[in-house]
Amino acid sequence: MMIRKHYWFSGRVQGVGFRYHAYYIAQSLGVTGWVRNNWDDRVEMEAQGTREDLAQMIEMLNAQRYICIESIQDKIIPLEEENSFCII
């Protein structure tokens, strides 16, 4: 079953390749959505895929060498019609 989540990541998440890793991980898992840096040093992301794919994406992001996710806020939001993942 497909779900869509809106995420806010805090920690060492800007200036460490977070958005590019998110893009490549999403491509490899078939996840759609977007990711962007926020003015408050957090990274914001919407991702759509199976619950398992989204969990694996977060796991893979957390495993990156320079990324240090200290907290994640997320909420399930309505699905959208899209076919790619992009960096905003």
Side-chain angles (χ1 to χ4, degrees), residues 32-68:
T32 62
W34 54 264
V35 64
R36 69 177 170 206
N37 283 342
N38 277 350
W39 60 271
D40 61 0
D41 294 329
R42 295 186 302 169
V43 171
E44 185 177 9
M45 180 173 81
E46 285 190 10
Q48 182 167 299
T50 66
R51 192 173 297 276
E52 294 78 20
D53 286 342
L54 298 187
Q56 186 175 0
M57 185 173 184
I58 301 305
E59 217 174 274
M60 292 170 77
L61 280 167
N62 226 352
Q64 298 302 314
R65 186 173 183 178
Y66 298 107
I67 295 170
C68 180

Side-chain angles (χ1 to χ4, degrees), residues 6-10 58-59 62 69-74:
H6 193 119
Y7 295 93
W8 293 270
F9 298 95
S10 300
I58 301 305
E59 217 174 274
N62 226 352
I69 299 169
E70 292 174 4
S71 72
I72 302 172
Q73 292 176 296
D74 65 25

Side-chain angles (χ1 to χ4, degrees), residues 19-29 57 60 85 87:
R19 293 173 299 155
Y20 298 97
H21 285 295
Y23 175 81
Y24 290 113
I25 291 167
Q27 295 288 319
S28 73
L29 296 174
M57 185 173 184
M60 292 170 77
F85 190 93
I87 298 170

